[in-house]
Amino acid sequence: MSIIVQKFGGTSVADSQKILAAARKAIRAKKEGHQVVTVVSAMGHTTDQLIDLAKQITAQPPAREMDMLLSTGEQVSVALMAMAIHSLGDQAISMTGAQMGIITDSTHTKARIRSISADRIRKALDEGNIVIAAGFQGISPTADITTLGRGGSDTTAVALAAALHAETCEIYTDVDGVYTTDPRLVPEARRLKQISYDEMLELASAGAGVMHNRSIEFAKKFSVPVHVRSSFSDQPGTMICEEPESPDQPVCGAAMIKDEARVTVLGVPDRPGAALAIFSKIAARNVPIDMIVQNVAADGRADISFTVVRDELPATLKAVEEASRALGAEGYTYDDNVAKISVVGLGMKKQPGVARRMFRALADKGINILMITTSEIKISVLVDRNEALESLRTVHAAFELEKEPASVAPRGAVAASPANNGTADAVARMQNMEDLLIDDITLDESQARVTVSRVPDKPGIAAQIFEEIAAAGIVVDMIVQSVGREELANLSFTVPQKDLGKSLELLSKLAARLGCPPPTSCPAVAKLTVFGTGMRSHTGVASRLFRCLADVGINVDMINTSEVRVSVVVEGGQGRKALDALKAEFADVLV
């Protein structure tokens, strides 16, 4: 008999009537022939109320006791849900995280799941029960209650679906699916029929709040189909699975993060290990880094810019100050009034010109781009926070995301699940469920690098450059624009080696018109990309990569990051050496 995992968020169980409605959905799924596990969050704003209560007692409550306190919210919900199912004439049993056998590490308030022993759940299902599972919680190896942090109930639901080899995981919430962007901000936003795991991961990290990235990491790692649906209707929602909605559409969604802060370390000595010195100190404070941009060095020094959540800025600046002093950097600057705008789509891999289209749309609205970072399926720009909403609406309209795609992939296409393949490797992975997983490390030796320096830092410049490049039939891969000094910015990108001469000829003329120095270049660079699952939630991945390259004496010229990959550009002759070093470094987590 197939198993379905259902998850109901706090708004979906906010009162007795909503709990009864959720109970009816669980019973209906059972009557349709499924065994049912229902994961519930704390009712309504219970968690917020408990946090507020704790802060009335002390400004700094111990993390262990906060977990003890916050876990009670879900325990109330599961008991009431079980009672509701009994009252409607069916069988149910409620279980806490510990009773379900969800073992986590010992990091209170943001624990990671290590393993799930599903024997008790399976026994209860076989006895005819609907199992009501407390989301957001587990138990440490020392038998302490732990909580999983933001989005923890989603994470519980998808993890249980993986452990139980469930047919699907249904996420019931107060929205009816995943939209092309937040419909509260862009009313014409369209609900997607389906979205790929990688697209959802990128959108989650870019600001889409429907699901947390850790739950999607689980879904991708174990190929769990996730169905995001409304708690208040029976309409089909959005499937999160292997395939995108449309293979022909370059962009599936746009997102915004308004609470970003940008930090730039100025004049970093251009030598192996410089980036490591900065990011290892930040990782030691468990601060997740979002965008990282390092441009090509000038006069033996480079500027490195990155973004963090604005609340993490004080801790970040302390780390940066220490690193700058140790490195002999020129100093650092920061700006806590910025926002990140991103477009995401698997179709970018096949269709050139997406960046140019995005830059032109923003330029036409007079919006200045402060930073640019790209990956194979995402383009992110940093803009002034006051222009964030207009920027989001502009790029959404530019890619006509409100329109239905002409062709749509088969709904819910899912590959064979590594959780279900019966191999010893799959069993081992289930015992280390939230570990970092590297899918591949690749080397591209076919590209050259072009840099235009001291570009006027004003709206329209990036659009002008990439429109002229595209008109010449040149395909651009990696793009990095760093924060400008003295209202001037540096812009680097990679092109096929065969197009280097044509690129330099074109850019020399453009630079003269803009009043910039002639472009510089490197005829052969090596682009190395590490991509996998858990790249962002495991905060030390970038530091580990930089340490590895520094240890073998390889200097990094360019850096680009996204949710699922980190890319660096090094001197062309160093590519093979760098690839071997990275494969050895990540051998313990490389598939």
Side-chain angles (χ1 to χ4, degrees):
M1 187 180 294
S2 63
I3 298 174
I4 285 182
V5 176
Q6 300 178 326
K7 180 261 177 178
F8 293 91
T11 56
S12 304
V13 291
D15 57 41
S16 59
Q17 292 307 307
K18 290 178 178 177
I19 289 173
L20 285 164
R24 292 187 188 99
K25 287 183 184 292
I27 292 170
R28 186 193 311 167
K30 183 181 176 184
K31 289 185 182 301
E32 289 171 353
H34 303 290
Q35 292 183 321
V36 182
V37 176
T38 299
V39 178
V40 294
S41 299
M43 297 172 63
H45 299 288
T46 298
T47 301
D48 291 337
Q49 292 166 358
L50 291 172
I51 292 171
D52 182 64
L53 187 60
K55 289 185 175 178
Q56 291 177 35
I57 300 295
T58 173
Q60 293 183 315
R64 180 189 182 280
E65 304 312 324
M66 283 300 293
D67 278 355
M68 185 72 78
L69 175 67
L70 297 183
S71 65
T72 63
E74 279 69 25
Q75 291 178 42
V76 171
S77 297
V78 293
L80 291 173
M81 176 71 87
M83 292 175 192
I85 289 172
H86 281 290
S87 75
L88 294 171
D90 216 313
Q91 292 176 245
I93 183 172
S94 62
M95 295 187 189
T96 65
Q99 290 169 329
M100 288 183 285
I102 297 181
I103 307 300
T104 73
D105 61 21
S106 298
T107 308
H108 287 290
T109 73
K110 48 185 175 182
R112 290 184 181 276
I113 297 174
R114 290 300 179 208
S115 64
I116 297 177
S117 174
D119 293 346
R120 185 172 181 183
I121 295 176
R122 289 186 181 280
K123 182 174 183 294
L125 291 172
D126 291 342
E127 290 171 351
N129 290 291
I130 296 172
V131 174
I132 314 300
F136 181 62
Q137 62 180 252
I139 190 167
S140 75
T142 56
D144 285 323
I145 292 174
T146 54
T147 63
L148 306 181
R150 182 169 171 250
S153 291
D154 286 348
T155 302
T156 300
V158 180
L160 284 173
L164 293 164
H165 304 173
E167 179 180 296
T168 190
C169 178
E170 298 179 339
I171 304 292
Y172 287 94
T173 182
D174 55 356
V175 297
D176 59 353
V178 179
Y179 279 71
T180 51
T181 196
D182 189 336
R184 295 168 298 182
L185 302 176
V186 184
E188 60 270 27
R190 178 181 62 84
R191 180 173 56 80
L192 296 163
K193 293 180 176 65
Q194 77 181 45
I195 186 172
S196 72
Y197 296 126
D198 281 352
E199 288 172 328
M200 190 68 243
L201 272 170
E202 294 286 15
L203 282 174
S205 74
V210 176
M211 291 195 68
H212 196 251
N213 63 315
R214 281 173 64 190
S215 62
I216 305 303
E217 287 174 359
F218 263 117
K220 178 186 176 183
K221 185 183 290 189
F222 299 104
S223 295
V224 176
V226 177
H227 192 182
V228 182
R229 309 183 65 177
S230 170
S231 300
F232 312 118
S233 76
D234 293 325
Q235 294 299 314
T238 302
M239 288 296 299
I240 305 172
C241 52
E242 295 284 351
E243 298 298 326
E245 180 182 57
S246 170
D248 302 323
Q249 195 154 324
V251 172
C252 73
M256 171 179 70
I257 297 180
K258 290 192 73 173
D259 60 343
E260 291 267 285
R262 184 269 308 163
V263 180
T264 299
V265 187
L266 303 169
V268 177
D270 186 30
R271 62 173 184 255
L276 170 65
I278 297 168
F279 295 116
S280 60
K281 288 188 179 296
I282 296 170
R285 289 169 166 80
N286 290 318
V287 175
I289 295 172
D290 189 3
M291 297 172 75
I292 301 178
V293 170
Q294 177 181 319
N295 216 322
V296 177
D299 301 321
R301 289 183 176 266
D303 294 347
I304 300 178
S305 297
F306 57 91
T307 62
V308 296
V309 176
R310 185 165 47 165
D311 289 347
E312 301 279 11
L313 184 59
T316 303
L317 292 180
K318 289 180 182 177
V320 165
E321 188 169 352
E322 292 175 14
S324 298
R325 193 164 49 245
L327 281 168
E330 294 174 10
Y332 63 88
T333 64
Y334 67 90
D335 184 353
D336 63 356
N337 191 43
V338 294
K340 183 177 79 168
I341 307 297
S342 303
V343 294
V344 171
L346 282 179
M348 289 186 198
K349 294 180 179 179
K350 302 176 183 177
Q351 299 189 32
V354 175
R356 169 177 53 88
R357 193 168 164 187
M358 181 180 185
F359 301 158
R360 171 48 59 195
L362 294 172
D364 288 346
K365 292 288 187 178
I367 296 168
N368 194 32
I369 297 172
L370 305 175
M371 280 172 57
I372 299 170
T373 182
T374 63
S375 78
E376 281 81 351
I377 67 168
K378 181 173 75 171
I379 301 167
S380 294
V381 299
L382 207 64
V383 299
D384 187 276
R385 184 173 293 121
N386 297 329
E387 296 179 318
L389 182 55
E390 184 179 9
S391 298
L392 179 67
R393 290 171 174 168
T394 296
V395 298
H396 190 275
F399 292 101
E400 300 179 323
L401 295 178
E402 73 282 358
K403 295 182 179 179
E404 294 279 347
S407 60
V408 178
R411 184 174 173 87
V414 180
S417 169
N420 299 338
N421 65 13
T423 66
D425 177 63
V427 172
R429 247 191 285 178
M430 292 297 288
Q431 295 302 313
N432 297 279
M433 296 187 77
E434 250 185 304
D435 282 2
L436 173 69
L437 185 68
I438 301 298
D439 294 316
D440 202 1
I441 301 172
T442 61
L443 169 64
D444 181 353
E445 297 179 292
S446 68
Q447 299 192 53
R449 185 265 304 163
V450 182
T451 298
V452 187
S453 58
R454 299 183 66 79
V455 177
D457 189 15
K458 61 183 183 182
I461 298 298
Q464 183 179 354
I465 290 172
F466 290 107
E467 282 171 347
E468 297 199 21
I469 288 287
I474 299 168
V475 177
V476 174
D477 182 14
M478 185 168 165
I479 303 172
V480 166
Q481 178 183 313
S482 55
V483 174
R485 298 201 210 183
E486 302 172 357
E487 298 185 349
L488 299 170
N490 295 329
L491 182 64
S492 295
F493 52 93
T494 61
V495 297
Q497 291 172 6
K498 65 181 178 62
D499 290 329
L500 178 59
K502 186 168 31 172
S503 301
L504 288 174
E505 182 181 354
L506 185 155
L507 288 168
S508 294
K509 296 176 182 177
L510 181 57
R513 295 202 307 270
L514 294 173
C516 307
T520 60
S521 66
C522 181
V525 297
K527 176 187 173 187
L528 295 118
T529 301
V530 178
F531 62 94
T533 307
M535 298 286 289
R536 189 162 181 254
S537 59
H538 289 263
T539 57
V541 175
S543 295
R544 194 170 167 184
L545 182 151
F546 299 142
R547 177 178 290 107
C548 168
L549 296 180
D551 286 347
V552 294
I554 295 176
N555 196 33
V556 175
D557 288 334
M558 295 167 62
I559 301 170
N560 235 337
T561 60
S562 78
E563 177 69 27
V564 296
R565 68 197 70 216
V566 178
S567 296
V568 296
V569 167
V570 303
E571 191 273 321
Q574 302 267 32
R576 294 288 169 180
K577 180 180 178 182
L579 180 65
D580 291 343
L582 289 174
K583 285 189 172 180
E585 171 65 26
F586 291 102
D588 59 322
V589 289
L590 184 60
V591 176

